[in-house]
Amino acid sequence: MREKVAGILATQRTWTLMAADTQPQTAASGLKAAIIPVTPFQQNCTLIWDEATKTGAVVDPGGDLDQIQAAISETGIQVEKILLTHGHIDHAGGADELRARLGVKIEGPHRADAVLLDNLEMQGAAYGLPARNVTPDRWLEEGETVTVAGHVFDILHCPGHSPGSVVFVNKPQKFMLAGDVIFRGSIGRTDFPYGDHEALIGAIKTKLFPLGDQFAFICGHGPTSTIGAERRSNPFLT
Ligand SMILES: [Zn+2]
Ligand SMILES: [Zn+2]
């Protein structure tokens, strides 16, 4: 059964990414995604790939690497890189090990999260989770781009939940990977060390809202949504 959810067309656990007001050109065109909830925090580790070339990326491999690798096998994709939205353990705790297993590079987040990525092992010990410290191969800055199978994502630096949080924005398909910046009906917590509530609200309102209501997003926890739905009804943002 195919159900349209927040502008993202779902077929069981794989998703065709598209704007809320458009239809995919063909079932085989463009980017697809699959969400694998990982760690006790049920973090939305996301596989994103080009359906035509079956090449893609793993976003936020926080842990449970065997599950992530099973999903990679199931989708039959060739992973070309790992992307990180920010440095919390549920998003980045498995990144160093997955990089070694797959032989790929890590891009993101912004360098301001180095302080978190350098302490993942300690964060893990506090929660009883295995984790390794990780240094990405590439830090990301506002205005830069990354590619996944040739599809371009613009980088927005959106501090507040963590100082180095980034959002990956694919304009052609009006789609974002939002990490823990914004959720359906909520926003990222800012009571952690380095959190900044005002900065987070500012980043959402000045960087994400102007993208337009049609933009759909996968976030770090819970269901997908759109900018329009959150602009109208998110209690933290209205
Ligand atoms: Zn987080
Ligand atoms: Zn999280």
Side-chain angles (χ1 to χ4, degrees), residues 32 49-56 74-79 149:
K32 285 204 162 200
W49 71 93
D50 180 90
E51 187 63 10
T53 62
K54 292 275 185 190
T55 306
E74 196 183 305
T75 52
I77 63 170
Q78 183 69 36
V79 173

Side-chain angles (χ1 to χ4, degrees), residues 132-148:
R132 290 193 200 168
N133 296 344
V134 61
T135 303
D137 299 281
R138 178 187 172 196
W139 297 109
L140 299 174
E141 299 277 349
E142 173 92 11
E144 291 186 345
T145 60
V146 299
T147 58
V148 176

Side-chain angles (χ1 to χ4, degrees), residues 218-238:
I218 290 175
C219 44
H221 305 265
T224 63
S225 187
T226 62
I227 290 294
E230 300 315 309
R231 195 179 52 72
R232 285 189 297 269
S233 65
N234 188 313
F236 295 91
L237 301 169
T238 49

Side-chain angles (χ1 to χ4, degrees), residues 86 88 91 161 180:
H86 67 293
H88 285 149
H91 298 255
H161 171 68
D180 286 356

Side-chain angles (χ1 to χ4, degrees), residues 148-221:
V148 176
H151 296 266
V152 176
F153 286 77
D154 297 327
I155 304 305
L156 294 177
H157 180 206
C158 297
H161 171 68
S162 75
S165 282
V166 296
V167 174
F168 298 93
V169 181
N170 179 252
K171 285 189 175 149
Q173 289 182 239
K174 295 195 171 83
F175 168 73
M176 308 187 295
L177 294 156
D180 286 356
V181 171
I182 185 170
F183 302 116
R184 182 189 287 191
S186 189
I187 59 172
R189 286 174 60 171
T190 51
D191 56 333
F192 294 124
Y194 317 109
D196 183 335
H197 183 77
E198 295 307 314
L200 180 60
I201 299 285
I204 293 169
K205 290 192 171 175
T206 64
K207 297 187 181 185
L208 302 189
F209 280 7
L211 293 168
D213 285 355
Q214 304 303 329
F215 270 74
F217 62 82
I218 290 175
C219 44
H221 305 265

Side-chain angles (χ1 to χ4, degrees), residues 42-61:
Q42 292 292 288
Q43 193 275 119
N44 289 333
C45 173
T46 302
L47 297 185
I48 182 162
W49 71 93
D50 180 90
E51 187 63 10
T53 62
K54 292 275 185 190
T55 306
V58 181
V59 185
D60 287 355

